[in-house]
Amino acid sequence: MKNTQNLSRNSQVLLSLSALPEKILALHGTENLSEFVLYELCHQNCFDIPKAAFFIDNPDFNCFKGVAGYNRAEHQQQASLWDDPDHFTDFMKENSFNKKVRSVNQCAVQGGCKKAHDYLDDIAHQLDVRELGYHRFPVKHGNHGVLVYDKQDTHLEDMQIFARGACFLGFCPIF
């Protein structure tokens, strides 16, 4: 029975992810596109993550910058965020968690895996993330995207699908 539930859940996630390219293309000129994509990735029909933050780690300019934040506790269900992008953009400009994430502007992550985990653990503490989970992936221009999320209460059965889904954030412009 559990295998059938996992298969159904993974199918739901893959359906959600397969719709993202079309949605990204529809809003390709939108400066805060990463907020839309992060919302979609965290949505209950996708990875069902209650709290997540997206950062860019730029080693060339020694900069670790917050790009977008999502906290389900601060969001009402917005079924039409892709249909009414101005409303969602206005909402995100005033969203306290998103503001907190976007205010992060520190030195780049330096050192090996242990040091990166300690660095991200400090960031997670600043954002009240109870149980640190993160995925780091390459993005354009030699930068790295870092998706920090609260592992507690998440439903990430297939980490490979999650890692590939997180990479959709790399298609978003960073301003």
Side-chain angles (χ1 to χ4, degrees):
M1 179 76 165
K2 185 164 177 121
N3 284 341
T4 304
Q5 288 173 334
N6 283 347
L7 185 57
S8 175
R9 175 83 181 115
N10 282 348
S11 295
Q12 182 182 19
V13 169
L14 290 173
L15 185 62
S16 181
L17 291 176
S18 69
L20 264 176
E22 184 178 358
K23 291 176 177 180
I24 290 170
L25 287 172
L27 296 181
H28 67 85
T30 306
E31 287 187 11
N32 66 324
L33 182 58
S34 56
E35 294 171 353
F36 287 81
V37 173
L38 183 61
Y39 179 92
E40 194 75 20
L41 293 174
C42 293
H43 193 271
Q44 292 164 335
N45 289 337
C46 197
F47 295 122
D48 197 15
I49 299 172
K51 188 183 279 188
F54 174 53
F55 300 91
I56 292 295
D57 187 16
N58 183 319
D60 292 336
F61 291 97
N62 193 24
C63 179
F64 184 85
K65 176 78 178 117
V67 178
Y70 170 85
N71 182 354
R72 183 176 297 141
E74 297 179 3
H75 281 262
Q76 66 273 19
Q77 280 297 98
Q78 298 195 9
S80 64
L81 71 125
W82 297 93
D83 296 329
D84 190 0
D86 293 335
H87 176 72
F88 184 73
T89 297
D90 291 343
F91 171 78
M92 291 301 284
K93 282 180 184 173
E94 300 303 318
N95 181 272
S96 63
F97 187 74
N98 189 50
K99 283 178 169 179
K100 188 184 278 190
V101 170
R102 291 180 62 83
S103 72
V104 173
N105 192 358
Q106 300 177 190
C107 293
V109 176
Q110 304 290 324
C113 256
K114 171 91 171 97
K115 190 138 180 147
H117 182 80
D118 292 343
Y119 186 91
L120 294 175
D121 197 43
D122 289 342
I123 298 287
H125 181 72
Q126 291 174 32
L127 299 175
D128 298 320
V129 170
R130 297 178 292 184
E131 189 176 340
L132 172 64
Y134 69 92
H135 177 63
R136 185 176 161 96
F137 52 97
V139 294
K140 296 181 261 186
H141 310 297
N143 297 321
H144 291 95
V146 181
L147 182 59
V148 171
Y149 61 96
D150 196 338
K151 283 196 313 191
Q152 187 167 329
D153 302 326
T154 58
H155 306 280
L156 301 174
E157 288 89 6
D158 189 328
M159 290 305 292
Q160 186 176 17
I161 293 174
F162 174 69
R164 289 181 175 164
C167 290
F168 277 107
L169 290 162
F171 290 101
C172 302
I174 305 299
F175 294 96

